[in-house]
Amino acid sequence: GLLSRDKCHEYPLTGFDFGVVNHGYGWVFPKGDHVNVGLYVAHHGRGAPGRQQLADYARSRLGSDGLTCVQGFPIATRGHEILPGAGRVLLTGDAAGLAEPLLGEGIYGAILSGQMAASSLLNQGDVIADYTRLLTGWRRELRSLHKLTKLFYGTLPLAFGVLKHGLRKPLMQAFADGLTVGQCKRRVFGATSR
């Protein structure tokens, strides 16, 4: 949802609030003349947050629940379980479920799969088999991230305390270096950690 800047008591800083919804987080992104506020749930089977939960979160964080442009969309994160194409169709990005489940970030998976789809189309041979082979590493990464996501959200607030007080600096450096969540995890915990 969006809140106009004048409806907020104080213009907020960007923030993530882990645990304000079951197995998820809330976010606040200031954007000039408005603030984007929302809720993310990592495990869709646990129930999507409703408009009232969003209004309550906005009120607690921003001092107002005067939301406009409220929209909700599921983020497809189960790409490790589905085939990325069939026949003459290759699925990429969200259509292939290639967003990572911990934060719901999907740009990396979209760009990566788009590049791999293009490469597969340019190669001679079985396009679907080649594309599936090229996506193997990212699909394996998603499978691993589902386990990490379940552990992280299942142990809140303890997991966030460890993240904030013990792992914040090395993880933020890894993110700043452009690494994905899985790559950050391997850098911080070692290459053998999955």
Side-chain angles (χ1 to χ4, degrees), residues 5 8 10-15 28-30 35 61-62:
R5 185 175 183 168
C8 298
E10 189 175 311
Y11 201 58
L13 296 174
T14 296
V28 173
F29 298 149
V35 177
R61 272 296 254 118
L62 305 170

Side-chain angles (χ1 to χ4, degrees), residues 83-92 95 117 121 127-129 131-132:
L83 291 176
R88 296 172 39 117
V89 176
L90 299 178
L91 300 174
T92 62
L121 291 169
V127 173
I128 299 291
Y131 181 53
T132 301

Side-chain angles (χ1 to χ4, degrees), residues 8-43:
C8 298
H9 292 315
E10 189 175 311
Y11 201 58
L13 296 174
T14 296
F16 290 92
D17 296 303
F18 291 96
V20 296
V21 292
N22 192 22
H23 285 81
Y25 66 87
W27 75 82
V28 173
F29 298 149
K31 295 190 164 207
D33 65 343
H34 70 279
V35 177
N36 182 309
V37 58
L39 300 171
Y40 172 75
V41 176
H43 302 293

